[in-house]
Amino acid sequence: MSFFEQYPVPAKSQPESEQELMRRAHALAGFTLGQLAGFAGWQAPKNLRKAKGWAGQLIEYYLGASAGSKQEQDFAHLGIELKTIPLNEHGQPAETTYVCIAPLTQLNGVTWEQSNVRNKLQRVLWIPVDGRREIAPAERTVGHPVLWSPNQVEDRLLRADWEELTEMIILGAVDQITARHGVAMQLRPKAANSHALTNAIGPEGELIQTLPRGYYLKKEFTHAVLQRALEDPNAFNR
DNA sequence: TCGTGATCATAC
DNA sequence: GTATGATCACGA
């Protein structure tokens, strides 16, 4: 059977329902990134060193994510955020997962419920992809999708980390935050290079310039999320 | 070996 | 610069 018989959807079109999105996602499982790239007329890079977002953008294309640099979920009309997650030889996340840019000013009164982190993570479609570096991107296989929403325990973990980090930012201690802060989620540089600067709050409450930061999910947390899906296939059904 | 800090491509 | 998509790469 040809790929297009299994995937009779005009790529790049927006899925109209969660069911359609999931049908598309399931149809990608088992194919390599090279096959999918070929069907789409894309060229697979030799490695991801200068194409770090390539796999994510290829999956976006097939699932019909509204491309763009807008600060909202990939499927805003469905309330779903898309994340490709590279797995190592043990089936564990090979990388942390970028969530969103961290606001470093005008945080007074912002609550977890209003935060961009929570908005992005409220419902995530995980697409596991072989992330072994010794294998060429074109040979890496796409896995079965997992549609996840944080359970109470997960939400509390994320909230606690967000509140701790946000508190430090508000108190002018952003430059003392390292990736070691946080249990499930950490704050790390998110910039073109280490010379990039953005506004933040200083120790005396004054405006300072610092490296732009982003929120990232730690590997262990993401691993637990994916593990929960494997142990109970119905865990994330609604 | 692996996590932290650094970095790459692209759109606007 | 900010925001999207992320992974790289070196020092501990």
Side-chain angles (χ1 to χ4, degrees):
Chain A
M1 195 187 293
S2 77
F3 173 71
F4 288 109
E5 284 176 75
Q6 292 185 53
Y7 199 89
V9 170
K12 215 174 180 180
S13 69
Q14 184 176 274
E16 291 181 7
S17 67
E18 182 179 307
Q19 290 68 32
E20 188 190 339
L21 174 60
M22 293 310 289
R23 273 198 298 276
R24 291 191 195 185
H26 278 289
L28 299 181
F31 287 97
T32 64
L33 295 176
Q35 289 177 308
L36 297 177
F39 297 144
W42 289 29
Q43 192 68 240
K46 287 245 182 333
N47 59 63
L48 299 183
R49 194 157 50 91
K50 292 198 177 283
K52 296 182 178 180
W54 182 78
Q57 284 159 4
L58 181 63
I59 301 297
E60 269 192 351
Y61 173 78
Y62 274 99
L63 297 185
S66 36
S69 55
K70 286 172 296 191
Q71 201 166 6
E72 61 181 25
Q73 292 152 315
D74 294 292
F75 304 96
H77 59 301
L78 301 178
I80 295 174
E81 172 72 10
L82 174 67
K83 291 289 176 198
T84 59
I85 178 72
L87 303 182
N88 64 21
E89 61 272 30
H90 305 298
Q92 301 161 344
E95 297 289 347
T96 56
T97 302
Y98 171 67
V99 179
C100 61
I101 285 287
L104 302 181
T105 59
Q106 292 164 0
L107 282 161
N108 290 321
V110 178
T111 65
W112 164 243
E113 283 73 20
Q114 304 161 341
S115 72
N116 200 227
V117 172
R118 184 159 187 266
N119 176 248
K120 286 278 176 95
L121 297 181
Q122 207 146 35
R123 206 148 168 71
V124 177
L125 176 57
W126 297 99
I127 308 289
V129 177
D130 189 338
R132 290 175 290 178
R133 290 191 194 178
E134 61 269 30
I135 295 180
E139 306 306 319
R140 299 182 190 180
T141 302
V142 177
H144 287 94
V146 171
L147 185 58
W148 166 78
S149 288
N151 63 20
Q152 194 175 66
V153 173
E154 291 162 343
D155 187 75
R156 283 177 181 167
L157 277 173
L158 295 168
R159 174 181 185 145
D161 287 343
W162 181 86
E163 288 179 344
E164 178 199 352
L165 294 166
T166 298
E167 179 84 343
M168 289 186 73
I169 294 169
I170 289 176
L171 293 178
V174 64
D175 284 337
Q176 291 167 47
I177 298 174
T178 76
R180 275 149 287 226
H181 287 87
V183 174
M185 190 169 64
Q186 60 190 174
L187 196 74
R188 301 217 311 275
K190 174 59 174 171
N193 55 58
S194 61
H195 304 300
L197 291 172
T198 191
N199 287 332
I201 304 164
E204 312 298 330
E206 78 281 22
L207 211 57
I208 63 168
Q209 293 280 101
T210 192
L211 191 56
R213 319 296 168 96
Y215 286 103
Y216 296 79
L217 298 180
K218 295 191 174 186
K219 294 183 201 179
E220 191 183 329
F221 179 80
T222 309
H223 181 230
V225 164
L226 298 178
Q227 203 63 37
R228 184 155 74 82
L230 286 180
E231 287 166 0
D232 179 3
N234 296 315
F236 307 135
N237 289 353
R238 289 199 160 178

